Amino acid sequence: MASQIQKLLTTNQDLLLMQKGTMMRKVRTKSWKKLRYFRLQDDGMTVWHGRHLESISKPTFSISDVERIRKGQDSELLRYLVEEFPLEQGFTIVFNGRRPNLDLVANSVEEAQTWMRGLQLLVDLVARMNYQEQLDQMLREWFQQADRNQDSRMSFREAQRLLLLMNVEMDEEYAFSLFQEADVSQSNTLDSEEFVQFYKALTKRTEIEELFENFSSDKQKLTLLEFVDFLREEQKESDHSSDLALKLIDRYEPSENGRLLRVLSKDGFLSYLCSADGNIFNPDCLPIYQDMTQPLSHYYINSSHNTYLLGDQFCGQSSVEGYIRALKRGCRCVEVDTWDGPDGEPVVYHGRTLTSRILFKDVLATLAQYAFQSSDYPLILSLDNHCTWEQQKTMAHHLIAILGEQLLSTTLEEQLIDIMPSPEQLRGKILVKGKKLRTIEVVESDKEEEELEKDEGSDLDPASAELDMQSQPESQEQASGNKSKNKKKVMKCPMSCLLICAHVLAQAPNSIPESILLPKKFLLQSSTTILCPDLSALVVYLRTAPFCSFTHSKENYHIYDISSFSESKAKNLIREAGNEFVQHNARQLCRVYPSGLRTDSSNYNPQEHWNVGCQMVAMNMQTAGSAMDICDGLFRQNGGSGYVLKPEFLRDTQSSFNPMKPVSLYKAQILVVQVISGQRLPKVDKTKETTVVDPLVRVELYGVPEDTKQQETSYVENNGINPYWGETFYFQIQVPELAMLRFVVKDYSRTSRNNFIGQYTLPWTCMKHGYRHVSLLSKDGTSLHPASIFVYTCMQEDLDMDEP
């Protein structure tokens, strides 16, 4: 594939034009639009830009960083500038992770098409590269970086500079000996093939060679039986290990003769351990593998908080891009906060803040386009409605008109009324979560609950169809004389009367006769909303209800009722009534949202809420960090569907489980983790050529409070290319079904906090034991390939602390 890219660079007309370069307008905001010269580099993997053709250019992005190319018509920013630039001349480069998009406008439609076709061609080719092809491409890039005089040969001085670029500081005498061994031509320089041998010597995996020789009788190859022994004893592949060994030999042994003889060479053994089959994440957990026919309340659901925000909660940008990014990450519950907008069109933003505003109908159009691109399981639209009656009617119209058949607007046929539908039954459907009229109901804003950090209910009895109507005394004397007689009188009103009354109140509050005293929630304040029946009718299975107590919910609420909790409220309930919370979540859905004090869009640890079975633990997905790593780690499994089946003890309404006092479901086990080595770790600051990392590894375990702990290796000085630790840790686990394991690699600093290099997080239930590679991810959750760490893990049933 890498050679195919090199061939295309000399034959493909689009790529040839891109290598010559093009002046295009770079658009950052509605007001920042500047001309820049963009050019595809000769490696075919990097795009550089400068102010003009002769200026000193700088790298803009690598092709491996690009996810896709979008047309100008699909750019939210370029659509705002349609009167200034034709959309056909614009396009958007969408990057992996949280990196902002790059909007560009070419001078003509033809130039835009050239760059769109060429970039997408390269992106697709890179996506199809296997491990060896990616390594070949990386070596080619390094060789070109080191070959400063462009003579296609590398001197020892250039090689020394390359070592620093490769993140390793090596003794000069030892480095020169490796250089001389690779210099077969004895020219005191290395050509590209000799450089590959130099690289192999630099990255020699002695720890894997020792492991190989422990099972090989002749130290040269593994026979089929020897490989089977390794798979059984070390990799814990007890099921069909003979058949598996044959498949792995056919897949990874590079020698055709070796495949015929059913043996595995050292190179084949290394290829296996570096492959997906040698990864710590169990490949069986990657596709949909769980039962998807159970009620919605039996699943963890990947959920987002204030999805429209790209930044902080106070003055951040609102954008449909927030929904696109969340859906791309597998999110299945997005939040939409609606307020009255100009020209009768509802808008979405974080109310009473300086965040920007977007149209509600644009959000729906985005959901209609992207809702089921990453997962076809149901998408929940968590609606926080602040609109007046008329704009609620507009909302209802848009929901029906824009979402069409995707919108679930009626109950499923033949669905039992006392059972929540399953993700399988709801595939391809968008469900509205929100307030629903049972009679007249006034919507208490969820956002007010967030600000107050408590959950409050309406003064109206949700099960009642009554309005309190109290006659006014004629005089103060009568009032004082008849205090004991003046009891509250109740008039039962038909639904139609109540709806008319509510509608009149919404349009003209002062028109209600003074003789009628409505409940205090009806005396309209600026934050109170009368719910429109048109919008109410679109809430089918996810009716929000205020939380009073677990007993109240059990006795008064239906399984379709869903309560929301601030993170602090949920934490208190977990501490005070953990088992009741577990039973509540086995019966009905709940949603947890971040504290209103998190104006920086920081996140809380979702694990403690998953411990009691909370399904929708809403995260600020725009903010990277350990909390999002844990969230991404859990939902990486099951096809990235956004739905993960909860453990059985969290699906039982009679469960006795309490995460604060876990009665071990099984005998306590010991998780053994040996951190062995690292491979090709990236620099923390790529702009500093002479800076080399001092890496260490922290192993973090999350789960019930008793299981949550961490341990850390020592640091290795000046070696990011192949550091060796060889340190073993032991973790006692009470509830492995809830355990999450996080590996974090950091650059040790004597004077400040250690700097982040990479991480990987996965559930214990998806972990393959034995000798495994852990593929590192960036802060944004994107691949840092080929960066990895090599570990050994196993479970011990007793407290034997012997090393593996």
Side-chain angles (χ1 to χ4, degrees):
M1 195 71 67
S3 60
Q4 185 178 351
I5 290 178
Q6 295 303 310
K7 181 179 179 181
L8 287 170
L9 288 172
T10 60
T11 59
N12 184 279
Q13 290 302 311
D14 291 333
L15 300 185
L16 287 170
L17 289 171
M18 290 165 64
Q19 290 176 81
K20 290 181 179 179
T22 307
M23 187 67 76
M24 293 187 284
R25 197 170 295 275
K26 181 178 178 181
V27 183
R28 283 184 179 172
T29 66
K30 297 176 185 177
S31 58
W32 198 102
K33 300 155 284 190
K34 297 187 178 180
L35 287 170
R36 293 291 183 265
Y37 189 82
F38 287 84
R39 187 168 74 86
L40 176 67
Q41 296 300 291
D42 295 339
D43 62 2
M45 291 293 294
T46 314
V47 173
W48 289 50
H49 81 276
R51 293 181 181 273
H52 46 79
L53 178 60
E54 291 78 19
S55 67
I56 299 175
S57 58
K58 57 183 178 180
T60 304
F61 60 88
S62 169
I63 296 298
S64 58
D65 296 333
V66 179
E67 181 201 335
R68 70 180 68 164
I69 310 299
R70 284 193 206 143
K71 297 178 180 179
Q73 292 88 336
D74 295 330
S75 167
E76 183 179 26
L77 178 56
L78 295 182
R79 284 201 302 267
Y80 278 115
L81 302 172
V82 65
E83 294 183 2
E84 199 171 342
F85 307 113
L87 288 176
E88 295 79 8
Q89 292 177 209
F91 61 97
T92 303
I93 299 171
V94 181
F95 296 100
N96 295 309
R98 297 177 177 84
R99 181 174 174 176
N101 297 342
L102 175 59
D103 287 298
L104 298 173
V105 179
N107 293 316
S108 66
V109 175
E110 292 73 20
E111 282 186 355
Q113 292 293 326
T114 292
W115 277 84
M116 290 173 65
R117 287 192 303 263
L119 287 172
Q120 193 62 59
L121 172 63
L122 294 173
V123 169
D124 292 342
L125 287 172
V126 169
R128 292 198 295 269
M129 281 186 181
N130 59 31
Y131 173 80
Q132 187 59 49
E133 289 168 337
Q134 289 176 333
L135 180 59
D136 291 344
Q137 181 65 36
M138 181 185 68
L139 293 177
R140 186 177 291 105
E141 291 175 19
W142 272 342
F143 186 83
Q144 291 176 349
Q145 286 184 59
D147 184 18
R148 283 194 160 182
N149 61 4
Q150 302 295 304
D151 64 352
S152 298
R153 301 195 70 86
M154 182 186 298
S155 66
F156 179 63
R157 179 167 292 185
E158 288 174 329
Q160 284 182 299
R161 175 177 172 269
L162 177 61
L163 290 176
L164 295 176
L165 290 174
M166 295 168 69
N167 210 6
V168 63
E169 188 174 295
M170 188 174 291
D171 175 75
E172 183 174 341
E173 185 176 341
Y174 177 63
F176 186 63
S177 68
L178 296 179
F179 184 89
Q180 285 183 313
E181 289 178 14
D183 182 17
V184 178
S185 62
Q186 297 184 340
S187 61
N188 293 326
T189 59
L190 304 179
D191 62 18
S192 58
E193 292 185 5
E194 290 171 331
F195 169 67
V196 171
Q197 298 308 312
F198 177 63
Y199 174 81
K200 286 184 176 180
L202 282 173
T203 58
K204 188 176 181 180
R205 302 289 300 276
T206 55
E207 76 279 18
I208 288 183
E209 286 190 3
E210 291 173 3
L211 179 62
F212 177 88
E213 292 172 1
N214 286 341
F215 283 85
S216 171
S217 57
D218 65 0
K219 313 302 181 186
Q220 299 299 316
K221 64 182 181 302
L222 289 176
T223 66
L224 179 60
L225 290 179
E226 288 170 342
F227 191 34
V228 167
D229 288 343
F230 172 76
L231 293 175
R232 284 177 176 169
E233 294 174 20
E234 302 294 354
Q235 305 298 80
K236 315 303 178 187
E237 303 277 14
S238 55
D239 297 335
H240 311 292
S241 52
S242 295
D243 293 338
L244 177 61
L246 286 171
K247 289 180 182 178
L248 295 176
I249 289 173
D250 286 340
R251 194 172 295 165
Y252 300 111
E253 172 53 44
S255 164
E256 183 178 355
N257 189 49
R259 293 194 296 271
L260 290 173
L261 295 174
R262 296 182 175 180
V263 298
L264 195 63
S265 65
K266 285 184 181 180
D267 286 344
F269 186 65
L270 176 61
S271 294
Y272 152 65
L273 288 175
C274 291
S275 71
D277 290 301
N279 197 276
I280 195 169
F281 194 94
N282 188 344
D284 293 340
C285 297
L286 288 174
I288 300 290
Y289 73 99
Q290 295 181 332
D291 177 10
M292 302 299 282
T293 64
Q294 299 198 29
L296 279 181
S297 56
H298 286 188
Y299 297 85
Y300 296 121
I301 303 173
N302 197 350
S303 303
S304 166
H305 173 249
N306 286 355
T307 316
Y308 46 87
L309 288 179
L310 299 182
D312 65 69
Q313 304 286 312
F314 184 69
C315 56
Q317 178 188 358
S318 300
S319 170
V320 296
E321 195 64 38
Y323 292 95
I324 297 172
R325 293 179 185 177
L327 294 171
K328 185 176 67 177
R329 299 180 80 91
C331 178
R332 293 288 87 192
C333 177
V334 297
E335 187 173 16
V336 183
D337 295 342
T338 58
W339 300 78
D340 279 2
D343 304 320
E345 285 292 345
V347 293
V348 175
Y349 80 110
H350 195 193
R352 306 184 186 94
T353 68
L354 300 179
T355 57
S356 60
R357 309 180 182 199
I358 53 178
L359 291 174
F360 177 65
K361 63 181 180 181
D362 287 349
V363 171
L364 294 184
T366 300
L367 297 183
Q369 182 177 356
Y370 292 94
F372 303 108
Q373 287 191 5
S374 297
S375 169
D376 60 356
Y377 285 94
L379 175 66
I380 296 169
L381 195 162
S382 183
L383 194 59
D384 193 10
N385 165 35
H386 305 265
C387 291
T388 55
W389 185 287
E390 287 302 320
Q391 293 213 10
Q392 286 182 58
K393 291 178 69 175
T394 302
M395 288 171 59
H397 169 77
H398 287 334
L399 282 163
I400 295 169
I402 297 173
L403 298 183
E405 293 297 317
Q406 293 177 321
L407 179 67
L408 185 76
S409 55
T410 59
T411 56
L412 300 176
E413 293 182 7
E414 301 179 358
Q415 172 68 27
L416 297 175
I417 197 167
D418 58 344
I419 298 177
M420 197 74 163
S422 70
E424 186 64 34
Q425 290 175 296
L426 295 168
R427 286 179 85 153
K429 291 296 182 181
I430 298 176
L431 286 73
V432 176
K433 166 189 165 293
K435 294 285 185 180
K436 186 173 179 66
L437 289 170
R438 279 166 279 202
T439 56
I440 280 287
E441 188 166 326
V442 179
V443 181
E444 180 79 6
S445 166
D446 286 343
K447 282 291 169 291
E448 289 174 0
E449 296 176 6
E450 294 183 24
E451 292 163 5
L452 295 173
E453 283 298 313
K454 62 182 180 179
D455 298 275
E456 297 179 343
S458 168
D459 286 350
L460 291 177
D461 177 3
S464 171
E466 300 175 350
L467 280 178
D468 293 337
M469 304 182 69
Q470 181 175 334
S471 299
Q472 297 291 309
E474 293 180 0
S475 66
Q476 291 182 354
E477 290 78 8
Q478 277 185 307
S480 59
N482 296 316
K483 283 183 181 178
S484 60
K485 296 180 182 178
N486 273 340
K487 303 254 179 168
K488 186 180 287 187
K489 297 180 181 179
V490 175
M491 177 181 294
K492 295 184 178 180
C493 302
M495 172 62 84
S496 58
C497 174
L498 297 178
L499 291 177
I500 293 170
C501 183
H503 180 69
V504 171
L505 181 59
Q507 302 300 318
N510 296 330
S511 65
I512 301 295
E514 293 183 0
S515 60
I516 299 179
L517 290 184
L518 297 175
K520 67 177 182 179
K521 290 288 181 179
F522 274 73
L523 300 180
L524 199 62
Q525 300 174 0
S526 62
S527 61
T528 306
T529 304
I530 304 299
L531 188 58
C532 170
D534 293 0
L535 189 59
S536 169
L538 299 180
V539 177
V540 180
Y541 288 119
L542 302 173
R543 179 177 58 191
T544 57
F547 177 80
C548 299
S549 69
F550 291 125
T551 300
H552 177 270
S553 295
K554 187 175 182 179
E555 293 177 352
N556 295 280
Y557 288 162
H558 194 273
I559 58 168
Y560 300 147
D561 288 320
I562 173 172
S563 298
S564 292
F565 305 89
S566 69
E567 61 173 287
S568 57
K569 175 74 171 180
K571 284 181 181 179
N572 290 335
L573 290 171
I574 292 169
R575 285 193 295 266
E576 297 167 3
N579 177 245
E580 288 183 87
F581 212 163
V582 168
Q583 294 181 358
H584 172 90
N585 290 330
R587 184 174 56 254
Q588 60 193 84
L589 288 161
C590 87
R591 178 178 179 269
V592 181
Y593 55 83
S595 164
L597 299 176
R598 295 184 181 274
T599 56
D600 59 350
S601 294
S602 59
N603 276 307
Y604 53 108
N605 184 356
Q607 183 68 53
E608 54 190 318
H609 305 288
W610 292 337
N611 288 341
V612 291
C614 295
Q615 299 89 350
M616 291 184 278
V617 182
M619 307 292 288
N620 287 313
M621 290 191 168
Q622 69 272 38
T623 306
S626 59
M628 273 308 304
D629 293 341
I630 295 169
C631 183
D632 290 341
L634 177 72
F635 290 105
R636 186 169 288 114
Q637 63 181 305
N638 208 33
S641 63
Y643 287 84
V644 170
L645 190 65
K646 297 192 292 186
E648 186 175 358
F649 55 84
L650 293 180
R651 308 195 306 261
D652 180 4
T653 57
Q654 303 300 318
S655 176
S656 60
F657 179 73
N658 185 344
M660 305 304 294
K661 302 174 183 177
V663 178
S664 183
L665 304 177
Y666 313 102
K667 182 180 178 181
Q669 300 179 72
I670 301 296
L671 170 63
V672 181
V673 180
Q674 184 182 38
V675 180
I676 303 173
S677 62
Q679 297 76 44
R680 297 179 289 277
L681 305 178
K683 286 177 174 286
V684 172
D685 187 350
K686 294 182 179 180
T687 64
K688 298 180 179 179
E689 286 189 6
T690 60
T691 303
V692 177
V693 298
D694 302 328
L696 58 83
V697 178
R698 188 168 69 226
V699 182
E700 302 171 350
L701 185 69
Y702 297 91
V704 298
E706 194 171 323
D707 290 347
T708 301
K709 50 186 73 77
Q710 63 183 40
Q711 299 187 59
E712 188 173 276
T713 70
S714 56
Y715 68 91
V716 176
E717 192 170 2
N718 292 330
N719 190 346
I721 196 168
N722 58 353
Y724 181 85
W725 295 282
E727 298 184 37
T728 304
F729 306 125
Y730 301 87
F731 298 90
Q732 183 169 314
I733 301 183
Q734 293 286 337
V735 190
E737 295 88 344
L738 291 175
M740 299 284 295
L741 193 64
R742 182 172 185 251
F743 297 92
V744 191
V745 183
K746 295 211 166 187
D747 180 18
Y748 172 76
S749 173
R750 295 172 180 83
T751 59
S752 61
R753 292 181 61 182
N754 297 337
N755 293 311
F756 177 92
I757 294 177
Q759 69 83 31
Y760 191 80
T761 309
L762 77 163
W764 177 89
T765 54
C766 296
M767 188 166 64
K768 293 282 278 187
H769 290 295
Y771 290 95
R772 304 286 173 180
H773 278 91
V774 180
S775 301
L776 296 179
L777 304 175
S778 70
K779 280 185 178 180
D780 283 339
T782 58
S783 174
L784 290 175
H785 182 86
S788 65
I789 58 175
F790 188 48
V791 302
Y792 173 86
T793 67
C794 69
M795 297 298 295
Q796 295 179 356
E797 294 296 331
D798 53 25
L799 297 181
D800 179 13
M801 292 298 184
D802 291 339
E803 290 196 11

